[in-house]
């Protein structure tokens, strides 16, 4: 997957210590994610890394916006994103599953892909209810919902 290369850090040639990386999660990023509710967006991803012999300590700061379907009117809606998080990447010959806090990789790999972590972090930063600001929803769509609701209410009264 070519998109994974864009969001990888080649740590093998880096000295121990502090390093910083910047990534852009844009339309191509979200398009590459299968079954995504996110239709597009533009997020700046700043990764601060402390490299040691046995692990990478990564701090993430993600800011920007994504485009999702509005829960109220079903039109595209621009949702602001702000996320701060930490990830430990430990080196081990015995690679284990990612448990939400620690990612295990083989020291022979030479690079770590952050694609899935970045995507999951953005999804976690989404509010539970994704709606336009008051007054920004599509009025035609809202009017249709009102008509349907009134019809349903009158059907219930007749029964």
């Amino acid at each position: 997957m070519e998109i994974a290369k864009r969001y990888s850090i080649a740590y093998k040639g880096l000295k121990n210590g502090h390093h910083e990386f910047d990534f852009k999660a844009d339309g191509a990023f979200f398009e590459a994610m299968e079954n995504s509710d996110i239709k597009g967006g533009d997020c700046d991803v700043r990764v601060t890394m402390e490299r040691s012999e046995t692990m990478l300590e990564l701090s993430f700061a993600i800011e920007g916006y994504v485009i999702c379907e509005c829960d109220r009117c079903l039109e595209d809606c621009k949702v602001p994103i702000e996320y701060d998080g930490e990830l430990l990447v430990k080196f081990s010959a015995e690679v284990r599953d990612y448990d939400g806090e620690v990612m295990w990789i083989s020291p022979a790999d030479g690079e770590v892909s952050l694609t899935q972590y970045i995507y999951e972090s953005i999804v976690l930063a989404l509010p539970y209810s994704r709606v336009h600001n008051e007054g920004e929803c599509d009025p035609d769509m809202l009017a249709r919902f009102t008509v349907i609701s009134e019809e349903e209410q009158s059907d219930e009264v007749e029964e």
Side-chain angles (χ1 to χ4, degrees), residues 19-158:
H19 303 276
E20 292 185 2
F21 305 90
D22 291 309
F23 300 99
K24 188 73 125 168
D26 54 13
F29 176 81
F30 295 110
E31 197 175 292
M33 299 294 118
E34 294 179 15
N35 302 323
S36 177
D37 289 340
I38 300 172
K39 298 178 177 184
D42 185 17
C43 295
D44 294 316
V45 181
R46 165 65 54 118
V47 181
T48 305
M49 179 179 81
E50 290 296 327
R51 186 194 192 297
S52 70
E53 291 298 322
T54 58
M55 74 175 132
L56 307 171
E57 294 177 60
L58 303 169
S59 296
F60 292 79
I62 303 173
E63 286 187 26
Y65 69 88
V66 296
I67 305 295
C68 297
E69 189 174 88
C70 176
D71 292 337
R72 192 180 304 139
C73 72
L74 306 179
E75 293 295 319
D76 286 352
C77 178
K78 195 176 192 178
V79 180
I81 296 294
E82 197 168 312
Y83 176 84
D84 291 309
E86 307 278 326
L87 174 67
L88 285 178
V89 179
K90 293 189 177 183
F91 307 133
S92 172
E94 180 188 329
V95 178
R96 303 175 199 159
D97 289 333
Y98 172 60
D99 64 8
E101 293 179 20
V102 178
M103 181 186 293
W104 297 86
I105 60 174
S106 168
D109 286 347
E111 69 180 29
V112 59
S113 174
L114 304 176
T115 309
Q116 192 63 35
Y117 182 84
I118 292 170
Y119 175 72
E120 289 174 5
S121 299
I122 291 170
V123 170
L124 286 173
L126 284 170
Y128 180 71
S129 179
R130 301 166 210 159
V131 295
H132 286 105
N133 292 328
E134 198 61 42
E136 293 181 12
C137 281
D138 179 359
D140 292 335
M141 187 62 80
L142 292 179
R144 289 181 192 168
F145 290 143
T146 304
V147 169
I148 291 170
S149 295
E150 289 171 358
E151 287 174 4
E152 287 174 352
Q153 287 176 356
S154 66
D155 288 345
E156 288 177 9
V157 171
E158 291 173 7

